[in-house]
């Protein structure tokens, strides 16, 4: 595994800027991998790891960078819970570790560096230096990843009779005896409405 500095340089380049979230995310991922004994997540160990993130902010990019887990590889799972937390899972054993950034680390940053101007600068310095146990809480967990959620899973594909769109991996709901895609089964959950105005 690269050094913290090397990982931070890569994270900065991939994310577009350096920020407290990059430092927190990189350190969270490094700690998770260490706990699982995974040393080469983007190389030899790349098929062993799945990561669940619970927030879609800066740190998420850093976690993806360090672990090599990505949405497009089906190895990065997003749970929209608004928590600065991630669960790293070793598929080989089903064992995982869920790591949460401690809420009081911001106050700690302010207390440590009162002479530094700006919260972001204070946090970046503190998040680099503070020991893991002052930044994170961690819990050993077991995770059963649904086979349909695993990378490389091949499942049936069906055509939704209502919208005519193809759907992968058994994502459908029965409505009045009809098998519909999730967007037709629950239109209220759609992120869009048709735009009826003329272009
Ligand atoms: Zn950022
Ligand atoms: Zn449909």
């Amino acid at each position: 595994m690269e050094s913290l500095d090397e990982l931070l340089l890569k994270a900065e380049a991939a994310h577009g800027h350096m920020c407290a979230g990059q430092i927190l995310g990189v350190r969270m991922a490094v700690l998770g991998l260490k706990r699982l004994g995974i040393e080469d997540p983007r190389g030899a160990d790349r098929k062993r790891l799945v990561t669940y993130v619970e927030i879609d902010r800066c740190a998420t990019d850093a976690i993806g960078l360090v672990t090599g887990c990505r949405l497009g590889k089906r190895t990065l799972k997003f749970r929209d819970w608004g928590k600065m937390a991630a669960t790293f899972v070793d598929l080989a054993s089903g064992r995982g570790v869920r790591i949460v950034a401690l809420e009081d680390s911001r106050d700690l940053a302010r207390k440590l560096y009162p002479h530094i101007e700006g919260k972001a600068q204070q946090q970046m310095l503190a998040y680099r230096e503070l020991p893991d146990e002052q930044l994170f809480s961690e819990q050993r967990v077991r995770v059963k990843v649904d086979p349909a959620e695993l990378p490389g899973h091949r499942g049936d594909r069906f055509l939704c009779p209502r919208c005519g769109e193809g759907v992968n991996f058994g994502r459908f709901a029965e409505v009045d005896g009809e098998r519909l895609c999730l967007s037709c089964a629950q239109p209220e959950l759609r992120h869009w409405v048709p735009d009826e105005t003329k272009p």
Side-chain angles (χ1 to χ4, degrees), residues 158-165 167 180-185 190:
F158 89 106
L159 282 188
C160 173
R162 193 157 295 175
C163 65
E165 293 172 358
V167 184
L180 297 180
C181 81
L182 297 177
S183 137
C184 289
R190 285 179 185 164

Side-chain angles (χ1 to χ4, degrees), residues 4-16:
L4 181 64
D5 285 335
E6 284 169 320
L7 287 170
L8 284 174
L9 276 177
K10 286 188 182 175
E12 179 179 13
H15 178 64

Side-chain angles (χ1 to χ4, degrees), residues 97-138:
V97 57
R98 180 171 177 269
I99 300 180
V100 188
L102 293 172
E103 213 50 33
D104 55 10
S105 56
R106 293 164 194 233
D107 295 337
L108 221 51
R110 194 162 33 86
K111 281 186 204 136
L112 273 176
Y113 296 101
H115 51 287
I116 302 279
E117 216 172 299
K119 264 197 302 194
Q121 293 300 326
Q122 291 172 348
Q123 286 173 6
M124 283 200 270
L125 283 168
Y127 296 170
R128 249 176 201 269
E129 290 176 7
L130 286 169
D132 288 329
E133 54 277 16
Q134 284 191 279
L135 286 179
F136 306 114
S137 69
E138 51 181 292

